[in-house]
């Protein structure tokens, strides 16, 4: 009992000390009189003082660590949800994307995009420490959240009701990733982990890469050769045999066709053709993490600190995917096998400087690298070759994709406190009547995201198969000039975001008013360049030339094989491919001014109103890097076409909220009602009328210069109950009306091509209910006092009216893409009395959600519910040593998409088991 009491007191002191150091001016200190006599509204807080001693022990590490975030949630004028680092660690999620699926109303799509309240990723707003950041996504502005490891995260803040201090490009909600900062004392931590996925075979497919692949960068092995670039420039973007021969003859009439063929082959030889598949051992996952931080008292007033961290991880994943068409699933189907080696590297540096209690400046520098090296074999049958015919297709794809993000941020907070007034008397003369809680905040953030695919190779082959099983009996590379497709892709996305805000509180006899406002500027520039080349045989001397390994088929010997003087045995061609609109330039710029009034009346009613003015400008233009003439310029000079690629608007967006505070059924009860009017704007190049191939889906995508922003009206009604023992319950009703929702719709195309166009549908609505709770189970008896349950449930109904702009959709009225009728998250937690053991069983499931909308009678495709059951266990044998165990997808669920009664997609993500150990203080 003595040890339990000491632990409880220790936790209480730690909470109080942390609250005092991190929130010196927050509502945690509301009972202390400010020097100027102004006190903030008496919203009750959850601290160690109002929680029974034994109950603190029972809830242990998890609930205690979350209390600080609960206070922030209670004090916010608008509805927010928060997830702290302790909770994320306990849940066992390694990326921000995976962690966010635990938040009410959020679902994860493609393991990287977050849908909030049934609205797609374009309707979500993502920031890093409140600042806008770039995206490494090749075609969209949205940020794939799986690039952020949870090891850098202090907390995740999800705001679903808009307020004027947020950017007005707001639909479902805003996610702010808040990184770890300077600690309160000396900290050090080192961690190592190992893992395995049961879907991985003992060996996986791979190919000969570069010497630096384990660092997540290509050493130049795959890069576009200077020889090819020189040839493209010499022959003005057309290095084909005929172009070379034509220019050669103009320069030297004696030049022969053989000379042109030889030079064309020299360009072919400059491609990386060491692409034969090989078997490689699927090593266990492993990761290393380390961090170090401290704070120093430089004098009585000055304090400085730092925190540095780094992590490295690598893993192999094998995926086997079964596909089928909904019309003839027995005849038109395929099996795709993909091996991926991933490398993830992160580094952070945080610096902080504080002067007294009034002034603080901090910096954050972040580097992320996320690289996937993919090897894929896809055997399939389509309308041209059906399974019963005994002949099919095989496509190979080798892709090395590097994604990097670098962010540098600095921010400052300055209070008009007593010490500041004493040292700077002129401020007291200017602002003497203002509260000491008045503050001025500023920030500057510069970020750059880069994606580099130094080589994506696709090879098309034909197969002879067994009539009954579909097993491949033999294969040969297709006899076509484009049998091998080489693509080299570069993306550079830069964002600068800076601004300031000021907050001034006023106290009256029975009310408290906080007036705030600010300005910020954000600008984004994106350069996307793709080069595409083809290599293939138009004729061969012997069919066996096409039947070896990929490296053999495209070997030096086959390319240069002679059939006699001035003649080649095999007719092979190298050329530049792709449309001239795949590359593009895009930019956005936004200036914003906002104001907000937050009025608390008799500690019972709270009214918050605000408005934001935004001046938004956007431009996009197709870029042809290989334009060498007026007929084919790099950038169009057509004024009308340029005008169609420009969009701008300036508007005022309002928000209002009212909160009732009382003690209905709990020590603290709050009832919030919020309204906002916002918009979601077209993305990057969607405002142009060009067509391009989506590098992710290979779909043909057509822009639309007539696209307009989606206007969104939102209503939220939220009731919150906070109990003194740490339990809480919240219920939220929400409604959204969307005018002109931006959606992709399928349009007519060839049999083997999927084409989509971005359009404004007519309207959409979303109605839903969210429930969230934390409950200790000690009330069931002594045997349960170390257990607690936390969970959330969301039920919602969405409806999209396609309208006249859609091209004959099968269902003109349907749910929104990605919207689930329900989402369930439940965690059963255990914290031992002595604090040495914690364990969790975590369940997540989403309801059936629309994956693809059918056209012209074709059924819609729905992703089926996925029942995710995970488990985590932590053992703390000493204060400095921790052992960890994690298991994910224990039920072995499959990912499935159905169109009608046909399973058109099925994949086994496997069950992941990992072990880890950490040491530090």
């Amino acid at each position: 009992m003595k040890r339990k009491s000491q632990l409880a007191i220790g936790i209480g002191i730690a909470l109080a000390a942390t609250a005092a150091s991190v929130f010196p001016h927050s509502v945690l200190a509301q009972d202390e009189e400010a020097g100027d006599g102004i006190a903030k509204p008496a919203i009750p807080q959850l601290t160690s003082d109002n929680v029974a001693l034994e109950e603190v022990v029972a809830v242990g590490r998890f609930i205690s660590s979350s209390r600080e975030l609960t206070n922030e949630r209670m004090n916010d004028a608008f509805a927010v949800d928060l997830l702290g680092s302790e909770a994320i660690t306990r849940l066992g999620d390694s990326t921000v994307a995976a962690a966010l699926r635990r938040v009410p109303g959020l679902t994860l799509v493609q393991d990287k995009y977050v849908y909030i309240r049934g609205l797609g990723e374009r309707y979500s707003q993502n920031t890093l420490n409140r600042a806008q950041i770039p995206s490494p996504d090749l075609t969209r502005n949205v940020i794939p959240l799986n690039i952020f490891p949870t090891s850098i995260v202090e907390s995740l803040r999800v705001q679903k009701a808009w307020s004027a201090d947020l950017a007005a490009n707001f639909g479902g909600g805003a996610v702010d990733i808040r990184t770890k900062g300077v600690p309160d004392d000396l900290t050090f931590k080192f961690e190592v982990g190992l893992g395995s996925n049961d879907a991985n075979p003992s060996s996986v497919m791979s190919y000969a890469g570069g010497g630096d692949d384990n660092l997540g960068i290509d050493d130049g092995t795959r890069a576009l050769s200077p020889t090819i670039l020189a040839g493209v420039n010499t022959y003005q973007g057309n290095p084909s045999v005929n172009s070379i021969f034509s220019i050669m003859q103009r320069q030297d009439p004696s030049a022969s066709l053989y000379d042109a063929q030889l030079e064309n082959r020299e360009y072919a030889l400059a491609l990386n053709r060491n692409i034969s598949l090989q078997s490689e051992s699927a090593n266990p996952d492993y990761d290393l993490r380390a961090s170090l931080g401290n704070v120093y008292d430089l004098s009585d007033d000055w304090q400085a600190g730092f925190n540095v961290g780094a992590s490295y991880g690598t893993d192999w994943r094998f995926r086997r995917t079964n596909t089928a068409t909904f019309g003839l699933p027995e005849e038109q189907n395929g099996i795709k096998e993909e091996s991926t080696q991933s490398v993830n590297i992160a580094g952070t540096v945080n610096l902080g400087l504080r002067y007294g209690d009034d002034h603080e400046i901090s910096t954050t520098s972040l580097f992320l690298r996320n690289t996937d090296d993919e090897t894929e074999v896809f055997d399939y049958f389509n309308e041209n070759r059906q399974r019963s015919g005994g002949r099919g297709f095989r496509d190979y794809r080798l892709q090395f994709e590097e994604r990097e993000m670098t962010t540098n941020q600095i921010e400052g907070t300055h209070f008009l406190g007593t010490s500041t007034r004493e040292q700077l008397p002129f401020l007291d003369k200017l602002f003497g009547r203002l509260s000491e809680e008045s503050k001025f905040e500023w920030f500057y953030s510069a970020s750059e995201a880069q994606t580099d695919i130094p080589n994506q190779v696709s090879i098309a082959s034909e197969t002879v198969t067994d009539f009954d099983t579909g097993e491949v009996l033999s294969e040969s590379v297709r006899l076509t000039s484009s049998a091998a497709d080489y693509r080299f892709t570069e993306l550079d996305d830069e964002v600068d975001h800076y601004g300031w805000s000021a907050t001034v509180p006023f106290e009256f006899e029975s009310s408290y008013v906080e007036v705030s406002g600010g300005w910020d500027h954000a600008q984004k520039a994106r350069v996307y360049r793709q080069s595409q080349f083809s290599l293939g045989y138009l004729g061969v001397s012997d069919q066996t030339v096409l039947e070896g390994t990929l490296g053999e088929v495209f070997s030096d010997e086959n390319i240069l094989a002679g059939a006699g003087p001035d003649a080649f045995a095999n007719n092979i061609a190298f050329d530049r491919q792709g449309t001239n609109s795949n590359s593009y330039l895009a930019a956005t710029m936004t200036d914003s001014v906002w104001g907000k009034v937050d009025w608390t009346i008799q500690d019972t009613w709270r009214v918050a109103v605000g408005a934001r003015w935004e001046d938004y400008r956007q431009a996009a233009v197709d870029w042809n890097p290989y334009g060498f003439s007026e007929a084919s310029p790099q950038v169009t000079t057509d004024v009308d076409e340029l005008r169609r690629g420009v969009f701008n608007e300036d508007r005022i967006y309002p928000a209002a909220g009212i909160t009732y505070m009382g003690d209905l059924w709990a020590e603290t009860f709050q009832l919030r009602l919020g309204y906002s009017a916002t918009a979601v704007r077209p993305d990057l190049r969607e405002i142009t009328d060009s067509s391009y191939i989506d590098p992710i889906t290979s779909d043909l995508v057509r822009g639309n210069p007539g696209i307009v922003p989606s206007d969104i009206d939102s209503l939220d009604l939220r009731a919150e109950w906070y109990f003194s023992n740490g339990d809480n319950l919240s219920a939220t009703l929400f409604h959204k009306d969307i005018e002109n929702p931006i959606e992709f719709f399928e349009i007519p195309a060839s049999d083997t091509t999927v084409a989509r166009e971005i359009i404004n549908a007519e309207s959409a609505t979303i109605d839903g209910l969210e429930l969230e709770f934390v409950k200790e189970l000690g009330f069931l008896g002594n045997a349960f006092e170390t257990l607690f349950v936390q969970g959330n449930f969301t039920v919602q109904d969405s409806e999209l009216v396609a309208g006249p702009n859609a091209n004959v959709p099968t269902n003109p009225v349907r749910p929104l893409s990605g919207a689930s009728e329900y989402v369930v998250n439940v965690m059963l937690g255990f914290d031992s009395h002595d604090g040495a053991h914690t364990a969790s069983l975590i369940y997540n499931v989403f309801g059936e959600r629309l994956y693809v909308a059918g056209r012209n009678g074709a059924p819609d495709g729905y992703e089926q519910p996925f029942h995710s059951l995970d488990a985590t266990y932590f053992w703390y044998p000493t204060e400095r040593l921790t052992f960890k165990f994690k298991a994910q997808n224990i039920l072995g669920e499959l990912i499935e998409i159905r169109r009608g009664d046909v399973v058109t997609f099925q994949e086994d993500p496997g069950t992941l088991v990992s072990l880890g150990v950490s040491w530090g203080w």
Side-chain angles (χ1 to χ4, degrees):
M1 179 67 184
K2 182 178 179 181
R3 184 177 180 182
K4 290 163 61 178
S5 299
Q6 289 174 339
L7 177 64
I9 294 170
I11 291 175
I13 293 173
L15 278 173
T18 302
S21 61
V22 178
F23 298 100
H25 298 276
S26 74
V27 293
L28 292 175
Q30 64 187 3
D31 293 330
E32 300 178 7
E33 280 194 20
D36 59 359
I38 291 186
K40 289 196 173 183
I43 301 174
Q45 304 298 310
L46 298 179
T47 68
S48 57
D49 296 331
N50 58 19
V51 181
L53 199 62
E54 290 291 333
E55 291 167 336
V56 173
V57 177
V59 299
R61 300 172 180 267
F62 176 72
I63 295 183
S64 295
S65 64
S66 66
R67 237 170 233 132
E68 212 169 78
L69 296 176
T70 300
N71 289 334
E72 179 182 347
R73 173 177 168 178
M74 291 170 60
N75 195 53
D76 203 289
F78 294 86
V80 298
D81 291 304
L82 297 116
L83 200 60
S85 58
E86 184 76 19
I88 294 171
T89 299
R90 182 157 194 161
L91 292 166
D93 295 316
S94 58
T95 70
V96 166
L100 284 170
R101 66 192 169 113
R102 316 293 186 180
V103 176
L106 273 64
T107 55
L108 184 62
V109 177
Q110 299 176 24
D111 289 329
K112 55 185 176 182
Y113 300 118
V114 171
Y115 283 34
I116 302 178
R117 289 180 170 175
L119 289 169
E121 70 272 13
R122 74 164 62 245
Y123 293 90
S124 300
Q125 183 185 125
N126 301 314
T127 55
L128 182 72
N129 299 321
R130 300 181 301 168
Q132 297 179 26
I133 51 177
S135 170
D137 191 282
L138 293 175
T139 59
R140 290 174 288 188
N141 198 29
V142 65
I143 301 166
L145 293 176
N146 63 333
I147 69 172
F148 294 96
T150 52
S151 59
I152 70 169
V153 173
E154 180 63 32
S155 64
L156 300 173
R157 175 187 170 94
V158 181
Q159 185 166 333
K160 302 172 188 173
W162 184 75
S163 56
D165 54 331
L166 296 177
N169 195 56
F170 182 101
V175 176
D176 186 35
I177 304 168
R178 304 194 290 194
T179 58
K180 294 178 179 177
V182 175
D184 297 323
D185 206 343
L186 175 63
T187 63
F188 172 77
K189 188 173 184 180
F190 178 79
E191 182 176 344
V192 60
L194 292 172
S196 178
N197 189 302
D198 69 356
N200 288 357
S202 58
S203 60
V204 292
M205 300 177 297
S206 186
Y207 63 99
D212 294 333
D213 286 3
N214 286 332
L215 297 177
I217 55 175
D218 180 58
D219 62 0
T221 299
R222 305 171 177 86
L224 182 58
S225 168
T227 300
I228 295 175
L229 285 174
V232 170
N233 289 327
T234 298
Y235 298 104
Q236 299 189 348
N238 186 358
S240 66
V241 172
N242 289 337
S243 174
I244 294 172
F245 183 49
S246 174
I247 293 177
M248 275 185 169
Q249 282 208 315
R250 286 202 298 268
Q251 296 173 348
D252 181 4
S254 65
S256 66
L257 180 62
Y258 176 83
D259 295 329
Q261 291 174 332
L262 180 60
E263 182 164 344
N264 181 265
R265 279 164 167 75
E266 289 176 356
Y267 301 139
L269 295 175
L271 291 169
N272 175 33
R273 291 160 294 110
N274 189 11
I275 55 176
S276 295
L277 298 196
Q278 59 190 34
S279 180
E280 188 165 338
S281 175
N283 295 322
D285 309 346
Y286 69 88
D287 62 87
L288 303 170
R289 299 177 185 176
S291 62
L292 175 67
N294 201 359
V295 64
Y296 304 92
D297 291 322
L298 305 180
S299 69
D300 291 340
D301 295 320
W302 289 95
Q303 190 180 69
F306 75 93
N307 188 43
V308 295
S311 65
Y312 173 88
T314 182
D315 61 67
W316 279 97
R317 289 293 177 268
F318 175 82
R319 293 181 177 86
R320 180 183 174 93
T321 304
N322 297 293
T323 63
T325 64
F326 63 87
L328 293 170
E330 301 298 326
E331 290 285 353
Q332 299 175 21
N333 51 52
I335 297 176
K336 182 184 296 182
E337 294 186 344
E338 178 188 297
S339 300
T340 303
Q341 183 182 21
S342 299
V343 174
N344 299 285
I345 298 174
T348 59
V349 177
N350 301 93
L351 302 175
L353 183 66
R354 172 177 288 186
Y355 180 75
D357 290 332
D358 291 343
H359 306 281
E360 183 174 355
I361 296 176
S362 60
T363 68
T364 299
S365 294
L366 170 67
F367 172 79
L368 300 174
R369 177 182 295 156
N370 174 260
T371 299
D372 291 328
D373 190 5
E374 302 173 354
T375 305
E376 177 185 287
V377 178
F378 185 25
D379 293 318
Y380 64 98
F381 306 92
N382 61 22
E383 63 274 12
N384 297 319
R385 289 189 174 185
Q386 298 191 7
R387 181 167 177 165
S388 61
R391 299 178 67 196
F393 298 100
R394 168 173 285 182
D395 288 350
Y396 295 89
R397 182 177 62 85
L398 314 177
Q399 179 171 317
F400 188 88
E401 183 171 351
E402 309 168 21
R403 294 174 292 272
E404 289 187 358
M405 179 182 291
T406 304
T407 299
N408 291 293
Q409 299 177 331
I410 182 170
E411 60 181 343
T413 302
H414 310 276
F415 284 86
L416 199 61
T418 302
S419 61
T420 299
R421 295 174 190 244
E422 290 176 351
Q423 297 189 28
L424 300 172
F426 74 93
L427 290 178
D428 194 40
K429 293 180 181 179
L430 289 173
F431 306 109
R433 292 176 149 246
L434 298 183
S435 163
E436 292 188 5
E437 296 296 315
S438 301
K439 66 179 178 179
F440 178 80
E441 297 177 289
W442 56 270
F443 72 95
Y444 177 84
S445 174
S447 304
E448 181 178 18
Q450 294 177 309
T451 297
D452 187 16
I453 304 178
N455 197 356
Q456 175 186 329
V457 185
S458 300
I459 310 291
S461 296
E462 298 174 341
T463 59
V464 176
T465 62
D466 183 275
F467 287 92
D468 297 321
T469 65
E471 180 184 355
V472 175
L473 304 176
S474 64
E475 69 164 309
S476 60
V477 172
R478 291 188 203 173
L479 195 65
T480 172
S481 62
S482 58
D485 182 271
Y486 283 75
R487 301 188 188 192
F488 305 84
T489 304
E490 299 171 86
L491 168 71
D492 187 85
D493 200 21
E494 297 182 10
V495 172
D496 288 341
H497 188 198
Y498 48 89
W500 58 265
S501 65
T503 303
V504 180
F506 299 92
E507 185 192 24
F508 302 97
E509 183 175 346
S510 59
S511 64
Y512 177 88
V513 179
E514 196 172 77
V515 179
S516 59
W519 168 90
D520 66 90
H521 172 88
Q523 59 186 43
K524 175 188 182 78
R526 169 172 283 210
V527 178
Y528 176 87
R529 174 173 180 159
Q530 185 181 90
S531 302
Q532 183 179 354
F533 301 93
S534 63
L535 180 65
Y537 292 95
L538 297 173
V540 292
S541 59
D542 191 296
Q543 177 64 22
T544 58
V545 170
L546 303 174
E547 294 175 354
T549 65
L550 299 181
E552 292 170 346
V553 171
F554 297 104
S555 65
D556 292 6
E557 292 77 11
N558 284 339
I559 291 175
L560 298 175
D566 297 339
F568 291 101
N570 302 312
N571 185 3
I572 192 169
F574 168 87
D575 202 355
R576 188 177 70 85
Q577 297 292 332
T579 67
N580 291 331
S581 60
N582 279 343
S583 302
Y584 66 95
L585 310 173
T588 64
M589 185 177 292
T590 309
D591 286 294
S592 307
V593 177
W594 61 273
K596 190 167 58 173
V597 176
D598 190 348
W599 183 18
T600 301
I601 307 169
Q602 294 183 339
D603 296 332
T604 302
W605 293 96
R606 183 177 184 181
V607 180
V609 295
R612 184 182 186 92
W613 170 80
E614 286 194 350
D615 183 11
Y616 177 80
R617 290 140 284 172
Q618 176 178 339
V621 62
D622 295 329
W623 173 39
N624 176 16
Y626 302 107
F628 292 91
S629 66
E630 291 185 5
S632 179
Q634 291 201 2
V635 176
T636 183
T637 56
D638 183 277
V639 175
D640 291 333
E641 186 173 344
L642 289 171
R643 186 180 293 115
R644 286 194 294 270
V646 175
F647 172 81
N648 62 80
E649 69 166 6
D650 70 276
R651 290 174 54 185
I652 295 176
Y653 301 90
I658 183 170
T659 303
Y660 168 76
M661 298 172 286
D663 57 1
L664 177 67
W665 302 339
E667 285 74 13
T668 301
F669 168 74
Q670 295 188 145
L671 182 65
R672 309 171 185 268
L673 176 65
Y675 165 79
S676 66
T678 56
V680 170
R681 304 179 181 108
D683 201 354
L684 294 173
R685 64 190 308 191
E686 291 176 351
I687 60 174
T688 69
D689 57 0
S690 64
S691 297
Y692 57 94
I693 301 298
D694 188 307
I696 306 300
T697 64
S698 296
D699 293 348
L700 178 65
V701 179
R702 181 184 299 168
N704 183 354
I707 201 81
V708 298
S710 302
D711 292 324
I712 304 173
D713 288 323
S714 302
L715 276 173
D716 289 79
L717 179 63
R718 182 169 185 158
E720 301 169 343
W721 292 267
Y722 299 96
F723 302 89
S724 61
N725 65 348
D727 294 349
N728 63 70
L729 171 68
S730 67
T732 306
L733 290 169
F734 61 89
H735 170 80
K736 292 182 181 291
D737 269 321
I738 309 176
E739 184 181 351
N740 299 315
I742 301 173
E743 289 272 317
F744 277 109
F745 281 84
E746 192 173 330
I747 56 177
S750 65
D751 292 339
T752 57
T753 300
V754 176
R756 298 179 298 144
E757 182 182 24
I758 192 75
I759 70 165
N760 286 117
E762 184 174 301
S763 63
T765 58
I766 305 174
D767 295 283
L769 168 67
E770 295 172 349
L771 297 175
E772 185 177 11
F773 63 90
V774 176
K775 177 63 181 173
E776 301 171 40
L777 300 182
F779 71 96
L780 296 176
N782 292 337
F784 296 90
E785 66 179 16
T786 57
L787 299 175
F788 67 90
V789 62
Q790 179 190 35
N792 57 74
F793 306 92
T794 302
V795 291
Q796 61 187 18
D797 178 61
S798 70
E799 181 180 277
L800 176 107
V801 179
N805 295 328
N807 191 289
V808 292
T810 299
N811 295 304
V813 179
R814 59 165 175 81
L816 284 160
S817 297
S820 301
E821 290 186 351
Y822 62 87
V823 181
V824 177
N825 284 291
V826 178
M827 177 174 73
L828 177 64
F830 164 80
D831 286 332
S832 66
H833 282 297
D834 61 3
H837 305 274
T838 67
S840 303
L841 194 63
I842 308 119
Y843 173 74
N844 167 269
V845 66
F846 58 83
E848 187 179 70
R849 61 190 185 194
L850 182 67
Y851 182 81
V852 59
R855 175 185 173 274
N856 208 21
D860 295 337
Y862 283 88
E863 185 176 357
Q864 300 304 296
F866 186 93
H867 298 267
S868 172
L869 183 64
D870 305 336
T872 62
Y873 168 73
F874 295 80
W875 176 35
Y876 308 90
T878 70
E879 291 183 359
R880 296 185 177 182
L881 185 63
T882 305
F883 292 94
K884 306 176 182 181
F885 168 80
K886 177 175 67 175
Q888 292 182 308
N889 193 25
I890 297 172
L891 301 178
E893 284 282 280
L894 302 178
I895 301 171
E896 282 191 355
I897 297 173
R898 290 179 176 268
R899 300 190 75 169
D901 296 328
V902 178
V903 177
T904 59
F905 179 96
Q906 185 183 77
E907 182 177 288
D908 181 5
T911 298
L912 174 68
V913 176
S914 64
L915 297 170
V917 58
S918 64
W919 181 85
W921 64 86

